[in-house]
């Protein structure tokens, strides 16, 4: 069964450093998403991506964040200058007609 | 704006007993509704969805959910709970059509099934 994959599973970085989180969506899906979950809190929408551009973004997704689909398979989330409060689990998802399929997540720890 | 409420942070049930995890939603227009489960240190796994049609939706692992439009609810149920069902359960909503295609999640309900 096809699945969304994410790398790395855990990323530790120092405050102010740039991080890139990588996702490989399901191959025939056209809509891609990033969500985050701060420890103990709800899953929050960050951004959606369709046809090589951002279709929607939340207020969390400020200028420090960017997304890219550099080739036909990868979908990346970049945080330019990480802050302590960026520590969270980041989930990638891709969507068929109705259902979003989530990856296993990347746990980002900012020290 | 769309929102989801899961009024119970924690639900405890004895193995073999029926379980219910509650969810209510708010959305302008018709909703798509989803349940996801999260095991410790794992991602979100899809359980079931309501799109249209029969209000009782059957999903994975014996779970089902009933869509109630008048009460704006989508409670998750299982007739006989297993210890292995213990996990964090999230309800999510998306508006049918429109530009808001992202999911809005509830705060989650920790289900503990006691042996």
């Amino acid at each position: 069964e096809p699945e969304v994959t994410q790398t790395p599973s855990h990323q530790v970085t120092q405050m102010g450093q740039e991080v890139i989180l990588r996702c490989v969506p399901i191959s025939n899906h056209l809509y891609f998403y990033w969500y985050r979950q701060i420890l103990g809190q709800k899953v929050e929408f960050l951004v959606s991506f369709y046809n090589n551009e951002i279709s929607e973004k939340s207020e969390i997704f400020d200028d420090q964040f960017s997304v890219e689909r550099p080739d036909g398979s990868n979908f990346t989330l970049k945080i330019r200058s990480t802050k302590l409060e960026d520590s969270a689990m980041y989930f990638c998802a891709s969507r068929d007609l109705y259902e979003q399929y989530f990856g296993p997540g990347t746990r980002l720890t900012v020290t | 704006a769309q929102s989801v409420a899961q009024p119970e942070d924690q639900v405890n049930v004895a193995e073999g007993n029926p379980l219910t995890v509650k969810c209510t939603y708010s959305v302008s227009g018709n909703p798509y509704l989803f349940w996801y489960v999260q095991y410790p240190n794992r991602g979100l796994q899809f359980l079931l969805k309501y799109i249209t049609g029969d209000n009782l939706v059957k999903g994975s692992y014996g779970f089902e959910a009933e869509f109630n439009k008048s009460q704006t609810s989508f409670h998750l149920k299982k007739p006989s709970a297993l210890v292995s069902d213990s996990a964090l359960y999230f309800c999510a909503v998306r508006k049918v059509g429109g530009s808001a295609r992202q999911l809005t999640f509830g705060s989650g309900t920790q289900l503990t099934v006691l042996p």
Side-chain angles (χ1 to χ4, degrees):
Chain A
E1 186 175 327
E3 58 183 17
V4 177
T5 59
Q6 291 184 243
T7 54
S9 57
H10 192 189
Q11 174 87 48
V12 181
T13 189
Q14 289 188 327
M15 195 167 52
Q17 295 297 304
E18 175 183 286
V19 293
I20 298 176
L21 310 183
R22 292 183 167 80
C23 168
V24 179
I26 294 173
S27 62
N28 61 342
H29 288 183
L30 300 178
Y31 297 87
F32 314 114
Y33 304 81
W34 283 101
Y35 293 81
R36 80 171 185 191
Q37 183 184 30
I38 295 172
L39 186 64
Q41 299 186 24
K42 68 168 70 176
V43 178
E44 301 172 292
F45 167 75
L46 291 178
V47 65
S48 59
F49 193 86
Y50 171 71
N51 199 25
N52 280 322
E53 61 182 21
I54 290 173
S55 51
E56 286 183 276
K57 59 183 180 179
S58 73
E59 59 191 22
I60 303 168
F61 194 88
D62 61 21
D63 291 344
Q64 293 299 310
F65 291 87
S66 62
V67 289
E68 193 176 37
R69 188 159 162 81
D71 53 42
S73 60
N74 290 286
F75 178 51
T76 62
L77 174 69
K78 181 192 291 186
I79 309 175
R80 289 188 182 80
S81 178
T82 51
K83 303 187 283 287
L84 293 175
E85 54 264 38
D86 293 327
S87 295
M89 181 74 89
Y90 288 80
F91 293 107
C92 173
S94 67
R95 181 168 72 87
D96 61 11
L97 187 57
Y98 299 116
E99 179 187 329
Q100 292 186 23
Y101 296 79
F102 285 80
T106 293
R107 180 168 298 284
L108 176 64
T109 302
V110 183
T111 62
Chain B
Q2 52 199 39
S3 65
V4 176
Q6 292 181 243
E8 301 156 318
D9 293 335
Q10 175 86 36
V11 169
N12 295 329
V13 64
E15 187 175 30
N17 282 2
L19 69 86
T20 298
V21 181
K22 295 179 181 177
C23 170
T24 58
Y25 67 91
S26 174
V27 68
S28 58
N30 293 319
Y32 291 150
L33 293 156
F34 304 83
W35 276 101
Y36 286 85
V37 60
Q38 184 179 33
Y39 295 97
N41 300 313
R42 302 284 296 277
L44 295 165
Q45 296 179 35
F46 170 79
L47 274 181
L48 51 80
K49 65 179 181 282
Y50 170 81
I51 303 299
T52 187
D54 195 348
N55 290 341
L56 184 63
V57 178
K58 293 189 184 297
S60 306
Y61 312 119
F63 284 92
E64 58 189 29
E66 185 164 13
F67 171 62
N68 187 316
K69 188 171 184 177
S70 63
Q71 297 186 5
T72 62
S73 67
F74 189 57
H75 301 330
L76 181 70
K77 300 182 180 185
K78 186 174 182 180
S80 179
L82 300 172
V83 172
S84 57
D85 293 329
S86 298
L88 187 58
Y89 290 81
F90 290 97
C91 181
V93 68
R94 174 164 88 77
K95 179 182 172 181
V96 174
S99 61
R101 296 186 184 275
Q102 76 272 18
L103 293 176
T104 298
F105 285 85
S107 54
T109 298
Q110 180 67 48
L111 173 68
T112 301
V113 181
L114 305 167

